[in-house]
Amino acid sequence: MEPSDTTEVTEEVLPPPPSVIPHDGVGIQVKPEHTSESVKKTTKPKRVPMSRRGFGSKGQKISLLTNHFKVGITNASGHFFHYSVALSYEDGRPVEMKGVGRKIMDKVHETYDTELSGKDFAYDGEKSLFTVGALPHNKLEFTVVLDSVSSNRNTRNGSPDVNGSPNGGDRKRPRRASQSKTFKVEISFAAKIPMQAIASALRGQESENSQEALRVLDIILRQHAAKQGCLLVRQSFFHDNSRNFTDLGGGVLGCRGFHSSFRATQGGLSLNVDGSTTTIIQPGPLVDFLIANQNARDPFQLDWSKAKRTLKNLRIKVKPSNSEYRIVGLSESPCKEQMFTLKNRGKNGNDDAESIEVTVYDYFVDYRQIELRYSGDLPCINVGKPKRPTYLPIELCFLVSLQRYTKALTVHQRSTLVERSRQKPQEKMTILTDVMKSNNYEADSLLRSCGISISTHFTQVEGRVLSAPRLKAGNGEDLIARNGRWSFNNKKLAEPSKIKNWAAVNFSARCDTKGLCRDIARFGETKGIFIDPPIDVFEENPQFRRAPPMVRVEKMFEQMKPQLPDGPPHFIVCLLPDRKNSDIYGPWKRKCLAEFGIFNQCLAPTRVNDQYIMNVLLKINAKLGGLNSLLAIEPSRNIPLVSKVPTIIFGMDVSHGSPGQSDIPSVAAVVSSRCWPLISRYRASVRTQSPKVEMIDSLFKPVSNDKDLGIVRELLLDFYVSSGQTKPTQIIIFRDGVSESQFNQVLNIELDQIIEACKFLDEKWTPKFTIIIAQKNHHTKFFQAGSQDNVPPGTVIDSKVCHPTHNDFYMCAHAGMIGTTRPTHYHVLLDEIGFSADDMQELIHSLSYVYQRSTTAISIVAPVRYAHLAATQVSQFMKFDDSSETSSSHGSLTSVGGPPVPELPRLHEKVCSSMFFC
């Protein structure tokens, strides 16, 4: 869901020229003047990321290692030459088949070495080629013949096709080789890129040339991996080695590999290398994959319409010839019944041919003398063309290794992948050290001609460990955090709520519902929460257990209604039968939060103990308006720059559908702090938008001269009401889920929307803004040399591996208990408020301690985590809607160039300003 901070190079939006930084920290890009007077008047200065003002100094210094490997360049005065590549067949049709480009260009290099002046080149697999120094001519044309192309091909061993000829039908003229194809290659000069641009980027002078030069280096490494037979996924590569595979079930394997990308840092150019994981189809017998994929007992239980969708475009090898094909479909009839016309050539090799009708099964058994054990009653695999099918018995087909599985994983598959991908710090260091030595980069001729050398040693950096902030529990008692954790033993919650009018429902979970309610009430009392006995406990009628989720929820409400004459309860505990992703969850949440305004807590208890009940109570108390703990500096108003002036904090995130779900609307959520000077209380506003769109488009939504239905207005009005009729004069925005290529959009599109929303409320109101991007999906890790442990909580790094000039830093606020700690990479894009480096880092560290759902510091600031929770929970509202219901019942937003986006139902007024997402 979060794009990597090192985005795919082919899609990267190039950054703007370096900014002119005024003293207030607002980057302004000075645009060239236009000749048109009208254009001059309407052109607005474009904001760009601010420069670093200084470095932090607070905290205990600590020496660390990081997975950045120093890169040396000796040929800094040279040039990369960029050429466009056009590939076509003999008849002029463009080559669109994936994967064949590298084979064609390898053949060009092998065949036309003299014409290329012996130059090596880096090819990106698509339409770009790069050399060090120029090729002999600006335009070159070549013709190459490939003997084998991995695509829809006729087999040299004579699989039958509709014409029945073992060699793919009679030919009027002799052919070169049964699988050879001719390709035309055009190479045209496109651009000249000075290597000096890399040195400029290291000085902070980023340009289109510097981004392109780094891109060339990344392409060289991709090509280096491709030559080793690796699967390439953006900037990650995966070797075909069964030791790297782990079975996830369903015919899907997790595959461990490595990510690599060149980064311009304060310490110079570095290569960032990290572990990476993808999912692939289980290689081997095709029928074994289908049985595993459908969880069938044997091939005769398979759903072949589902199999047809699953197999389309997968690559197979066929025994005994070992020829490779791409699957296009299945035969209509079983192998023993699927007929085709077999043409036998005349005795003298002339064109007179005898045609006979034969089944695919008989052809392979009788003509080819191949024994078939079980294929006779199963469909054939079609590897031909739309009008010329070529059928193969399924037991002769074997799936090729390293084919990506791109559909959404099940909950079990995802959790298995995460669990088996974890590596302890020392284990990860050992693996990365080994891969750096085995990659053998010094043998790459292109890297040598660039004068590039890559160290095999981890880079040493200095970090600082910030002290944990002081927390307050009930009755003003101190909570002491040790190693990022604290306990409520013998302590009460800071602001406990009261639970009076409540009930419990059980959707057939195996649990003593009444006993659990008693435990919650008993334990809650020790934490200061006053809990009345429940009005009633409702057990689901067994006859509805197998009904659709929406029906089960409706029937439960019908069952409850007669027992609740005074209307819906204030709060409901709901027990679900499935521990993860229960299909009842979405309709239940929607019914409670949107239709009735009922606070609720869903549980799927497996092992109930005091810790479990404590965690449940933390969530319930936060939802009902209580506070579990807060920072000692909140009530005492000692947060630098935040406590003295009314300040609102936004957390923004967008939740997208799973991979393979391209038609599901994305859900944008913005949470905001309330009850200033507190920074521990939040509420959320959530909207749908077009699928896979990352920029939030509903921050400002004017529908008339005096009406704005946008998110920001809703949150600003709530802050005003909850903070004693006070407007915020400072707005701090934490934005999650955007890559470096999208920073300018946040600064110039989203921020403009927020400013417009403020002006719409009050034309004279000009709050100051600070914008911070929080990235988790990156590949920088930190290690303690000689220690088995993760870096301590509170570790911050703002030098050496950070950007040469931008205001960024890494923070590990939490205690990494499993695997290797993933730091959060914070980028301060704009700071009109004027935080010092220490104050900014202390604020972010403190915001990792105000998360109400746990008694631990978390890895990212709480407002961002809350925004993610709100977006994810509300997106469940839509999961059970069919398209007709979503479009007709709730209205729709029209997305540009696409179908209408279904609107979410609005939260009920009773719960909309609560922390319902906790």
Side-chain angles (χ1 to χ4, degrees):
M1 288 197 251
E2 301 173 345
S4 166
D5 65 337
T6 52
T7 52
E8 185 176 355
V9 288
T10 53
E11 297 176 353
E12 192 156 29
V13 178
L14 298 171
S19 58
V20 179
I21 307 296
H23 294 298
D24 62 0
V26 186
I28 301 294
Q29 180 179 318
V30 182
K31 289 195 172 184
E33 295 205 1
H34 296 268
T35 53
S36 165
E37 284 300 316
S38 59
V39 173
K40 273 189 190 177
K41 289 174 185 173
T42 57
T43 301
K44 275 195 339 188
K46 189 177 177 184
R47 304 179 194 94
V48 296
M50 68 175 286
S51 290
R52 185 185 304 279
R53 291 205 187 99
F55 297 90
S57 58
K58 286 188 177 178
Q60 184 76 37
K61 289 183 179 177
I62 183 172
S63 183
L64 303 169
L65 297 174
T66 182
N67 58 336
H68 283 241
F69 300 87
K70 190 165 182 58
V71 177
I73 309 179
T74 56
N75 187 12
S77 59
H79 287 81
F80 292 121
F81 281 74
H82 177 195
Y83 295 87
S84 296
V85 177
L87 307 177
S88 59
Y89 295 103
E90 265 182 305
D91 59 8
R93 286 179 300 119
V95 175
E96 293 174 349
M97 197 189 336
K98 283 187 177 178
V100 75
R102 287 192 188 277
K103 292 183 179 180
I104 295 171
M105 296 309 294
D106 285 346
K107 190 74 171 179
V108 167
H109 189 261
E110 175 189 318
T111 311
Y112 297 101
D113 184 59
T114 306
E115 287 82 349
L116 294 168
S117 296
K119 277 198 176 295
D120 291 317
F121 55 73
Y123 175 56
D124 72 350
E126 294 181 12
K127 295 181 178 179
S128 289
L129 176 150
F130 300 90
T131 59
V132 179
L135 291 174
H137 304 286
N138 279 352
K139 188 161 187 177
L140 295 163
E141 294 187 6
F142 302 113
T143 300
V144 294
V145 176
L146 288 190
D147 290 336
S148 175
V149 180
S150 171
S151 67
N152 306 330
R153 301 189 307 263
N154 296 319
T155 172
R156 65 168 67 89
N157 282 42
S159 295
D161 65 11
V162 286
N163 293 310
S165 166
N167 291 316
D170 281 294
R171 298 288 181 240
K172 297 289 183 187
R173 57 191 172 82
R175 303 177 64 214
R176 259 186 307 274
S178 59
Q179 295 189 57
S180 64
K181 277 193 177 169
T182 301
F183 298 92
K184 292 179 181 176
V185 181
E186 284 188 13
I187 299 174
S188 310
F189 173 76
K192 185 177 175 183
I193 306 160
M195 291 188 200
Q196 191 62 43
I198 297 173
S200 300
L202 297 174
R203 295 192 298 271
Q205 297 165 0
E206 286 185 301
S207 64
E208 187 171 331
N209 274 338
S210 63
Q211 291 294 314
E212 278 292 291
L214 291 177
R215 178 182 169 225
V216 176
L217 296 182
D218 283 327
I219 289 168
I220 293 172
L221 290 202
R222 278 172 59 82
Q223 180 169 282
H224 184 83
K227 285 179 177 175
Q228 297 172 25
C230 292
L231 165 67
L232 305 180
V233 183
R234 291 184 285 278
Q235 286 173 259
S236 296
F237 50 94
F238 303 88
H239 289 274
D240 188 6
N241 186 330
S242 58
R243 287 183 305 175
N244 298 331
F245 301 161
T246 182
D247 189 3
L248 306 181
V252 181
L253 304 182
C255 180
R256 288 190 302 275
F258 299 94
H259 162 95
S260 69
S261 61
F262 286 94
R263 312 283 294 166
T265 70
Q266 292 171 30
L269 188 63
S270 70
L271 180 65
N272 178 206
V273 179
D274 191 21
S276 186
T277 309
T278 192
T279 47
I280 60 171
I281 298 285
Q282 171 186 308
L286 180 57
V287 74
D288 289 356
F289 163 71
L290 288 174
I291 289 170
N293 185 249
Q294 297 189 20
N295 196 25
R297 289 195 308 276
D298 56 56
F300 306 103
Q301 309 294 322
L302 292 169
D303 176 343
W304 289 102
S305 59
K306 183 179 178 183
K308 185 177 180 180
R309 292 192 302 272
T310 305
L311 295 179
K312 190 169 175 64
N313 290 325
L314 291 183
R315 289 177 292 118
I316 54 170
K317 282 196 173 179
V318 182
K319 298 291 176 71
S321 68
N322 223 28
S323 301
E324 193 174 312
Y325 301 89
R326 196 177 293 275
I327 298 173
V328 298
L330 302 175
S331 63
E332 295 292 328
S333 306
C335 189
K336 279 184 176 175
E337 299 173 18
Q338 182 64 51
M339 306 293 293
F340 72 97
T341 304
L342 176 64
K343 290 184 181 178
N344 287 327
R345 290 185 184 278
K347 289 181 181 177
N348 300 321
N350 57 31
D351 287 345
D352 298 327
E354 179 191 353
S355 297
I356 59 169
E357 292 293 312
V358 65
T359 66
V360 175
Y361 181 86
D362 288 342
Y363 172 80
F364 276 91
V365 172
D366 297 339
Y367 286 76
R368 299 282 299 280
Q369 306 295 307
I370 295 173
E371 182 188 359
L372 298 177
R373 291 177 297 113
Y374 58 82
S375 295
D377 298 316
L378 303 177
C380 303
I381 301 301
N382 180 8
V383 296
K385 293 184 171 64
K387 294 182 181 178
R388 290 172 60 88
T390 299
Y391 295 122
L392 300 165
I394 195 167
E395 69 188 85
L396 302 183
C397 301
F398 294 77
L399 285 163
V400 173
S401 191
L402 293 183
Q403 298 190 74
R404 283 189 76 199
Y405 180 80
T406 55
K407 295 180 174 61
L409 297 179
T410 64
V411 174
H412 171 73
Q413 287 172 332
R414 186 173 295 282
S415 59
T416 304
L417 180 63
V418 169
E419 186 181 324
R420 295 184 183 172
S421 300
R422 291 174 181 142
Q423 293 166 337
K424 287 287 187 185
Q426 284 303 312
E427 181 188 0
K428 182 176 277 289
M429 285 188 75
T430 301
I431 290 170
L432 293 181
T433 299
D434 290 345
V435 81
M436 287 305 295
K437 288 176 180 173
S438 64
N439 272 338
N440 197 20
Y441 289 133
E442 65 274 9
D444 191 287
S445 57
L446 261 176
L447 287 177
R448 281 204 310 271
S449 58
C450 299
I452 294 280
S453 60
I454 302 172
S455 168
T456 56
H457 300 292
F458 285 71
T459 297
Q460 190 163 345
V461 296
E462 187 178 82
R464 292 169 289 111
V465 182
L466 303 179
S467 301
R470 281 198 310 125
L471 300 170
K472 289 289 183 183
N475 302 321
E477 288 190 76
D478 286 334
L479 279 173
I480 307 301
R482 291 188 176 88
N483 197 32
R485 296 176 166 270
W486 58 94
S487 169
F488 279 101
N489 285 345
N490 304 316
K491 288 183 172 62
K492 289 184 164 45
L493 303 182
E495 291 183 23
S497 54
K498 293 182 180 179
I499 308 175
K500 291 186 174 181
N501 177 20
W502 72 290
V505 304
N506 183 355
F507 282 100
S508 304
R510 293 180 180 178
C511 180
D512 175 8
T513 314
K514 290 183 178 177
L516 180 61
C517 290
R518 284 194 298 271
D519 288 344
I520 289 173
R522 172 185 56 80
F523 203 81
E525 194 175 331
T526 66
K527 301 301 157 196
I529 302 176
F530 178 81
I531 306 176
D532 275 348
I535 301 167
D536 209 337
V537 173
F538 300 91
E539 300 285 344
E540 183 179 34
N541 188 326
Q543 75 182 81
F544 299 123
R545 280 182 189 172
R546 300 196 182 279
M550 290 178 70
V551 173
R552 293 176 73 178
V553 170
E554 290 292 343
K555 292 297 181 184
M556 181 61 80
F557 270 88
E558 288 175 16
Q559 185 181 335
M560 290 163 56
K561 194 172 181 181
Q563 308 302 319
L564 302 168
D566 297 329
H570 181 62
F571 174 69
I572 299 177
V573 168
C574 171
L575 274 66
L576 300 174
D578 305 308
R579 186 159 174 263
K580 291 204 173 184
N581 277 26
S582 169
D583 55 7
I584 300 169
Y585 183 86
W588 173 261
K589 285 289 182 183
R590 176 165 165 171
K591 193 82 173 171
C592 288
L593 295 175
E595 195 169 325
F596 288 107
I598 302 171
F599 293 95
N600 63 96
Q601 178 62 52
C602 291
L603 308 176
T606 49
R607 190 175 58 198
V608 177
N609 53 27
D610 284 359
Q611 184 60 56
Y612 179 86
I613 293 172
M614 181 68 213
N615 290 341
V616 167
L617 283 168
L618 292 175
K619 296 178 183 181
I620 292 173
N621 190 52
K623 284 175 179 171
L624 294 177
L627 269 181
N628 301 324
S629 61
L630 70 166
L631 299 167
I633 53 177
E634 287 182 76
S636 64
R637 298 200 177 199
N638 280 326
I639 307 172
L641 300 178
V642 172
S643 295
K644 308 304 179 191
V645 182
T647 303
I648 189 170
I649 298 174
F650 287 160
M652 298 165 52
D653 189 25
V654 179
S655 174
H656 305 292
S658 302
Q661 297 177 319
S662 58
D663 56 343
I664 292 179
S666 294
V667 177
V670 183
V671 303
S672 63
S673 59
R674 55 201 312 266
C675 306
W676 178 82
L678 297 186
I679 60 170
S680 291
R681 281 193 196 279
Y682 293 85
R683 63 154 292 169
S685 183
V686 187
R687 302 281 194 281
T688 46
Q689 59 187 42
S690 298
K692 309 298 181 188
V693 172
E694 185 56 51
M695 289 299 116
I696 301 175
D697 61 11
S698 49
L699 296 168
F700 178 53
K701 283 280 180 189
V703 292
S704 66
N705 288 336
D706 59 353
K707 193 172 184 183
D708 167 20
L709 297 179
I711 290 174
V712 172
R713 178 188 176 92
E714 180 185 328
L715 300 179
L716 290 173
L717 290 175
D718 176 79
F719 180 90
Y720 182 79
V721 172
S722 68
S723 304
Q725 315 293 298
T726 304
K727 280 190 295 192
T729 56
Q730 298 179 157
I731 299 178
I732 300 173
I733 300 164
F734 286 97
R735 181 65 161 93
D736 186 25
V738 294
S739 61
E740 289 174 38
S741 63
Q742 296 167 315
F743 286 180
N744 288 334
Q745 291 172 274
V746 173
L747 274 172
N748 294 289
I749 298 174
E750 289 187 340
L751 179 56
D752 276 354
Q753 281 194 65
I754 296 169
I755 291 171
E756 288 290 330
C758 293
K759 296 288 184 192
F760 201 84
L761 280 166
D762 180 352
E763 186 65 39
K764 296 178 182 177
W765 181 28
T766 54
K768 290 181 177 179
F769 289 94
T770 290
I771 299 179
I772 303 130
I773 305 293
Q775 290 179 332
K776 287 283 287 179
N777 202 7
H778 59 85
H779 289 276
T780 295
K781 303 288 195 305
F782 297 99
F783 308 89
Q784 295 191 73
S787 171
Q788 298 288 331
D789 297 330
N790 271 306
V791 298
T795 299
V796 61
I797 299 97
D798 62 2
S799 61
K800 201 81 176 259
V801 291
C802 293
H803 192 277
T805 56
H806 288 181
N807 192 359
D808 69 321
F809 58 91
Y810 294 90
M811 183 175 287
C812 304
H814 66 304
M817 306 305 289
I818 306 169
T820 302
T821 297
R822 185 197 292 264
T824 300
H825 193 184
Y826 291 101
H827 303 256
V828 184
L829 301 189
L830 173 72
D831 182 23
E832 295 175 334
I833 296 173
F835 286 93
S836 68
D838 279 326
D839 286 346
M840 175 64 77
Q841 291 166 13
E842 288 275 17
L843 174 65
I844 286 173
H845 189 219
S846 295
L847 283 169
S848 304
Y849 278 77
V850 302
Y851 188 60
Q852 298 297 307
R853 283 166 51 111
S854 70
T855 55
T856 61
I858 57 172
S859 62
I860 199 164
V861 289
V864 160
R865 181 67 59 83
Y866 288 148
H868 182 69
L869 287 173
T872 303
Q873 185 173 131
V874 176
S875 67
Q876 301 285 327
F877 286 12
M878 297 185 297
K879 274 196 174 177
F880 54 92
D881 274 336
D882 61 38
S883 57
S884 61
E885 182 180 348
T886 51
S887 58
S888 62
S889 302
H890 317 301
S892 60
L893 302 165
T894 303
S895 61
V896 179
V901 178
E903 272 194 62
L904 290 166
R906 289 298 176 96
L907 296 180
H908 196 282
E909 61 182 2
K910 291 180 183 176
V911 298
C912 66
S913 60
S914 71
M915 292 176 71
F916 68 87
F917 42 80
C918 264

